[in-house]
Amino acid sequence: MGKERMTVLLSDLEIARRVKELAAEISREYAGGKVTLVCVLKGAVVFASDLMRCLEIPVEIDFMAVSSYGSETKSSGAVRILKDLDSSILGKDLLIVEDIVDTGLTLDYICKNLLSRKPRSLKVVTLLDKPARRKVKFTPDFCGFEIPDHFVIGYGLDFNEDYRQLPGICILQPEP
Ligand code: 5GP
């Protein structure tokens, strides 16, 4: 680990409260049906596991991994599937679970890719949104928190694979 400074942006309690609210909204949206969560690895794994335990409807989960940043903090824009879903999504109500929307390029790619496999419906929930950095028009259907343009870590989010286990979300700044 290099020399970095961390400032808490969202505490574990704030996140837990908001996750419960999101789960209630999502449970209402899919009431009477079943939702298939598509968890985008690895960053969304903590959010997805908390969210699914708060949902009041039948749930399935599948996982997908795509490349985005590599070891840098700036998006290259290139997206590649590293791990595809295990099951067919034909006719299913899909909810993509993402940690953060930044430029929007990753979700734009994932949505187009999954829509071509003909799910019944496709929506997106993201814990965090940085709308200031959008490169493509993309609006999540459900969003936990809109945040300013900072690089954040914790609650599943990493910097070079470190810090994913932090219970809250912190801003990571290089030491001047
Ligand atoms: P986008 O394609 O929207 O630019 O980026 C989406 C992906 O970039 C996220 O799933 C996440 O992996 C990564 N990302 C974007 N912003 C941040 C950030 O502030 N912190 C971390 N750790 N990852 C980020």
Side-chain angles (χ1 to χ4, degrees):
M1 279 182 234
K3 285 199 177 76
E4 294 104 18
R5 197 152 41 93
M6 276 188 242
T7 329
V8 176
L9 180 66
L10 296 164
S11 72
D12 51 348
L13 289 177
E14 284 173 279
I15 297 171
R17 208 177 303 132
R18 187 68 187 120
V19 168
K20 282 199 183 108
E21 287 173 3
L22 281 174
E25 239 183 279
I26 292 165
S27 299
R28 280 197 296 277
E29 177 77 22
Y30 294 95
K34 180 184 199 176
V35 67
T36 300
L37 304 180
V38 173
C39 172
V40 184
L41 295 171
K42 301 173 188 171
V45 78
V46 178
F47 176 42
S49 61
D50 281 349
L51 182 74
M52 78 184 293
R53 283 177 293 173
C54 296
L55 290 173
E56 294 151 23
I57 46 170
V59 177
E60 278 180 21
I61 190 163
D62 206 341
F63 298 89
M64 194 167 182
V66 294
S67 66
S68 49
Y69 284 80
S71 59
E72 299 297 321
T73 54
K74 289 265 183 325
S75 178
S76 62
V79 179
R80 197 161 50 92
I81 295 183
L82 303 176
K83 185 224 169 288
D84 207 345
L85 300 175
D86 291 336
S87 309
S88 164
I89 53 170
L90 182 71
K92 291 187 175 175
D93 289 309
L94 285 197
L95 179 63
I96 300 174
V97 183
E98 180 60 299
D99 50 1
I100 185 163
V101 189
D102 187 21
T103 63
L105 289 165
T106 305
L107 276 173
D108 184 62
Y109 172 84
I110 294 177
C111 285
K112 283 180 183 147
N113 183 292
L114 295 185
L115 278 172
S116 73
R117 307 182 203 185
K118 308 251 182 299
R120 193 161 80 120
S121 67
L122 178 67
K123 288 186 189 284
V124 173
V125 57
T126 185
L127 179 69
L128 305 173
D129 191 2
K130 286 199 276 196
R133 291 199 8 112
R134 241 6 148 262
K135 284 189 184 158
V136 286
K137 196 170 175 297
F138 185 87
T139 312
D141 300 278
F142 308 93
C143 170
F145 303 92
E146 277 197 9
I147 62 166
D149 181 12
H150 293 298
F151 189 80
V152 291
I153 49 158
Y155 197 73
L157 288 146
D158 75 312
F159 175 61
N160 287 348
E161 296 299 325
D162 286 322
Y163 308 119
R164 292 192 196 275
Q165 84 278 20
L166 296 179
I169 304 271
C170 298
I171 295 170
L172 188 72
Q173 281 155 335
E175 202 72 70

